[in-house]
Amino acid sequence: MNPKKADKIAVGVIYMMSGIIVLILASLLLFILWRGLPEISWEFLTSPSKSFQVGGGVGIQLFNSFYLLILTMLISAPLALGAAIYLSEYAKKNWVTDFIRTAIEVLSSLPSIVVGLFGFLIFVVQWDFGFSILSGALALTIFNLPLLTRTIEDALQTIPATQREAGLALGLSRWETVTRVILPAALPGIITGMILAAGRIFGEAAALIYTAGQSAPALDFTNWNPRSITSPLNIMRPAETLAVHIWKINSEGVMPDGTQVSAGASAVLILAVMLFNLVSRYLGKKIQKKITSA
């Protein structure tokens, strides 16, 4: 066969396979939005859910999702940043660091249900945190930490070695070089990785079923006492998130309008994850442009 003809056939096959994948993903996305967007309204986004009545919303579940996301990122982001800096800038290349990287790869591939069961046994039962936002945040930290560490490490390793050498040549210590030279240059990649990780956390359900719980107590948004069970700030209360709510609606079938609520909640979840991705790309490009033009 003529090499040029074989090349054209190979390129055509690749384009066809890519088109099929894009078509499947676009069809799934459009189907979810087509079913769910008509159900979304301000009342739907702010009102509490109802188990045996029609007209329930996802207000508390939506708040729980964002609150759990913020708490998880506050715990996991500093840990991941510290681990990534150590592995990228300080760790020597030996069997210990190879073992650490292998452990990170293994942990990042764990099914979320396994992380949820681990969190149930340790945080809920052993540490007696019960089904709570704190238990869910700690479980999601374990779930998110390996991937976030690897993402930040990759962002740090993309910085040329000449920048490190330039910082050391100017008399900066290694830590000063990391904080004043390497981290600012790697900031676009770090922020992009964190926002993408936030989207992954926001859509997680399996790990939270066994840690944060499947109930959403009524919240009083005028009560700012973090020890009160009705306070939205209480991290020891059970907190059903949006993703868990979707699973619960379809598994229990106690809502007369469960199909409509599930469709609307799914559309909200998809839109939120899409927003995380778009914001990560926008911020990454904007910060990169600002740094390179400075």
Side-chain angles (χ1 to χ4, degrees):
M1 183 182 291
N2 191 330
K4 290 185 178 180
K5 188 175 181 180
D7 180 70
K8 289 182 179 180
I9 293 175
V11 172
V13 171
I14 292 173
Y15 276 116
M16 183 181 66
M17 295 175 64
S18 301
I20 292 173
I21 293 173
V22 171
L23 181 62
I24 293 173
L25 293 176
S27 301
L28 179 62
L29 182 63
L30 291 175
F31 177 73
I32 294 174
L33 295 179
W34 175 71
R35 290 187 59 202
L37 286 178
E39 309 296 333
I40 298 176
S41 63
W42 179 250
E43 183 181 0
F44 179 78
L45 294 175
T46 56
S47 61
S49 61
K50 299 177 181 179
S51 294
F52 300 97
Q53 304 176 34
V54 297
V58 294
I60 295 177
Q61 287 80 7
L62 191 59
F63 174 81
N64 289 339
S65 297
F66 280 108
Y67 190 32
L68 191 59
L69 168 64
I70 293 172
L71 187 61
T72 301
M73 292 303 295
L74 287 176
I75 298 173
S76 61
L79 294 175
L81 182 61
I85 290 175
Y86 170 76
L87 291 172
S88 176
E89 307 298 327
Y90 290 93
K92 297 180 180 179
K93 292 184 178 181
N94 51 35
W95 69 271
V96 176
T97 54
D98 290 340
F99 175 78
I100 293 174
R101 286 192 171 90
T102 303
I104 290 174
E105 294 290 342
V106 172
L107 288 174
S108 64
S109 62
L110 278 178
S112 57
I113 190 69
V114 175
V115 177
L117 290 172
F118 174 82
F120 172 76
L121 292 174
I122 301 300
F123 306 131
V124 177
V125 177
Q126 191 67 31
W127 292 4
D128 200 24
F129 289 158
F131 291 107
S132 62
I133 292 178
L134 182 59
S135 297
L138 292 174
L140 287 182
T141 297
I142 297 175
F143 176 70
N144 187 49
L145 194 58
L147 181 63
L148 190 56
T149 300
R150 188 59 184 270
T151 302
I152 298 176
E153 184 186 1
D154 290 342
L156 295 175
Q157 290 180 344
T158 58
I159 308 304
T162 53
Q163 294 196 27
R164 295 172 174 82
E165 295 169 358
L168 296 174
L170 291 173
L172 299 177
S173 65
R174 179 177 288 188
W175 176 248
E176 289 174 331
T177 301
V178 170
T179 55
R180 298 184 183 182
V181 179
I182 306 303
L183 283 180
L187 194 59
I190 294 174
I191 292 179
T192 299
M194 286 187 176
I195 297 178
L196 291 176
R200 188 180 183 219
I201 292 171
F202 192 83
E204 179 54 40
L208 296 176
I209 292 173
Y210 298 101
T211 52
Q214 304 176 40
S215 62
L219 299 180
D220 180 7
F221 286 92
T222 63
N223 181 7
W224 299 105
N225 179 11
R227 295 185 177 182
S228 174
I229 190 64
T230 61
S231 173
L233 299 181
N234 188 350
I235 62 174
M236 301 307 295
R237 63 177 174 85
E240 181 187 49
T241 61
L242 194 60
V244 175
H245 187 58
I246 296 170
W247 172 83
K248 186 178 178 181
I249 291 173
N250 290 281
S251 62
E252 293 185 349
V254 296
M255 289 186 179
D257 58 343
T259 302
Q260 291 79 9
V261 175
S262 177
S266 300
V268 172
L269 187 63
I270 288 292
L271 291 174
V273 174
M274 288 177 60
L275 183 63
F276 282 125
N277 283 269
L278 293 175
V279 169
S280 69
R281 292 177 180 274
Y282 172 76
L283 288 180
K285 290 180 180 179
K286 189 172 183 179
I287 294 174
Q288 181 67 36
K289 184 177 180 181
K290 185 176 181 180
I291 290 176
T292 54
S293 62

